[in-house]
Amino acid sequence: MHTVIIGVGGVGGYFGGKISNSSQKVTLVARGNHLQAIQKQGLHIKSIDGDFVAHPYMATDDIKKVEKADLILVCTKSWQVIEAAKLIKPIVHENTIVIPLQNGADNADKLRSVLDQKHVLGGLCKIYSKIEAPGVISHFGHTPEVVFGELDKSKTKRLQKIRKVFDKAGFESTISEDINVEIWSKFMFIATVSGLGALTRATIGEMYKDPEVKEILEQTATEIYEVGKAKGVALPKDIVDRILLFISKQPYDATASTQRDILEGRPSELDNFNGFIVNEGRKLGISTPANTFIYSCLRPMENKARAL
């Protein structure tokens, strides 16, 4: 199996590094100083589970040099998914499998707007990780896991084929019974803590501890639930309570990557998180006051980061 990683940040770097370190064929598509460091000295993974250095089959910024892929993990930011889908078209063969692992509710749809839908599975990951320095990935929280599945809930042989890759790499993976529910559950968590975290400049623990902010967290999650339900996602009725409980169990000082991007003046996934809920709510006739307030307050910072 030839696995290609598109986007070698905290997610792509960690999981791509693990697959490569298990003597499997991996190509990393990266750029800039990060790519140069990987090419010169390998990809260094600093992990709470143990450090290692991965030496992939290839690391490049030129898709023309990449061999056809059996498995492609798209690990860019959600606003880059369509661009990534166009990029990988030349390396997709008849049986190539493409799995998006970034946060967001509609990444598989974005991929399927460019690629034949037969290639695309649903997916997500659970990990706290980031680029610490060029060529260095820091994994600092959560037991790393990839969750994936067929978007139509079918059980296919290729799911087990992918799982063998992940098992050999040595990280947890789960084949989901309903990947759309999994995606929206993860999305509910990350969209709830990201925007409000940027607005309050507080950690997840600080937000949960404050009664008034906790109430806004709950309202934000509830609006996401209502939108998801209206879109036909079979979210359980107690999902908001589950998400709040999950938030309560996160490291007190944890922050979300989108929160960090916003506060550090970088382009973020704001439009794909709270903005997505606001727009879908309007289409569906669902009121989203908490998400609208968060999105509206942060949008000027996003425009500035993108020089709009």
Side-chain angles (χ1 to χ4, degrees):
M1 286 279 284
H2 178 210
T3 300
V4 176
I5 308 295
I6 306 297
V8 191
V11 169
Y14 179 83
F15 291 110
K18 288 287 285 185
I19 298 170
S20 176
N21 200 48
S22 63
S23 300
Q24 299 184 76
K25 185 177 180 179
V26 174
T27 295
L28 304 178
V29 179
R31 59 189 177 186
N33 294 336
H34 191 45
L35 171 62
Q36 292 173 16
I38 295 169
Q39 290 173 329
K40 289 179 181 179
Q41 58 194 27
L43 179 62
H44 290 246
I45 309 294
K46 293 184 178 180
S47 171
I48 55 177
D49 296 327
D51 301 348
F52 62 92
V53 181
H55 296 279
Y57 172 75
M58 177 184 287
T60 182
D61 59 0
D62 187 355
I63 201 70
K64 294 179 182 177
K65 295 181 179 179
V66 180
E67 298 174 18
K68 296 286 186 179
D70 300 303
L71 172 63
I72 302 175
L73 301 181
V74 180
C75 306
T76 63
K77 296 294 187 179
S78 55
W79 50 274
Q80 298 170 315
V81 170
I82 290 180
E83 177 186 350
K86 294 175 181 177
L87 178 72
I88 65 176
K89 285 187 77 172
I91 63 170
V92 172
H93 62 64
E94 180 66 19
N95 297 313
T96 298
I97 301 163
V98 184
I99 306 177
L101 292 184
Q102 61 281 105
N103 295 315
D106 62 342
N107 296 310
D109 290 337
K110 290 175 182 174
L111 288 173
R112 294 197 296 178
S113 72
V114 177
L115 306 171
D116 190 317
Q117 66 178 19
K118 71 179 182 180
H119 295 295
V120 182
L121 271 62
L124 60 97
C125 68
K126 300 176 182 179
I127 188 173
Y128 281 117
S129 57
K130 64 181 180 180
I131 296 177
E132 182 177 290
V136 181
I137 301 297
S138 173
H139 159 229
F140 52 90
H142 211 295
T143 300
E145 180 185 8
V146 171
V147 183
F148 63 102
E150 298 285 357
L151 292 162
D152 63 0
K153 305 179 190 178
S154 61
K155 299 302 177 186
T156 58
K157 291 182 179 179
R158 64 180 181 173
L159 295 175
Q160 295 299 331
K161 189 175 181 180
I162 297 165
R163 189 166 196 173
K164 287 181 181 178
V165 173
F166 297 160
D167 285 349
K168 186 175 181 181
F171 55 79
E172 292 188 13
S173 67
T174 301
I175 297 174
S176 174
E177 295 292 329
D178 188 337
I179 191 61
N180 287 305
V181 170
E182 300 277 3
I183 289 169
W184 272 81
S185 297
K186 169 73 182 297
F187 174 68
M188 184 181 293
F189 161 69
I190 201 67
T192 294
V193 299
S194 292
L196 195 55
L199 199 57
T200 61
R201 303 190 175 208
T203 68
I204 292 176
E206 289 168 340
M207 288 191 291
Y208 187 83
K209 186 177 179 180
D210 186 283
E212 284 77 20
V213 178
K214 180 183 176 183
E215 186 175 337
I216 301 173
L217 286 170
E218 182 175 4
Q219 184 178 351
T220 304
T222 300
E223 292 171 8
I224 296 170
Y225 167 73
E226 294 295 341
V227 170
K229 185 173 66 172
K231 290 178 70 66
V233 182
L235 291 165
K237 292 181 180 180
D238 65 345
I239 187 63
V240 173
D241 291 336
R242 292 189 196 180
I243 293 301
L244 288 174
L245 178 61
F246 183 72
I247 290 173
S248 75
K249 294 182 177 181
Q250 298 308 295
Y252 188 86
D253 293 328
T255 56
S257 60
T258 291
Q259 173 183 355
R260 297 192 296 272
D261 285 341
I262 293 172
L263 294 181
E264 293 170 20
R266 296 190 295 263
S268 78
E269 294 174 301
L270 177 66
D271 284 338
N272 306 98
F273 289 3
N274 305 99
F276 173 77
I277 291 300
V278 171
N279 290 331
E280 293 300 303
R282 286 172 180 164
K283 294 176 186 176
L284 297 164
I286 296 172
S287 178
T288 58
N291 281 276
T292 298
F293 178 77
I294 294 167
Y295 178 65
S296 299
C297 289
L298 293 174
R299 186 63 191 172
M301 293 177 67
E302 186 70 19
N303 288 341
K304 185 177 180 179
R306 294 175 182 272
L308 296 178

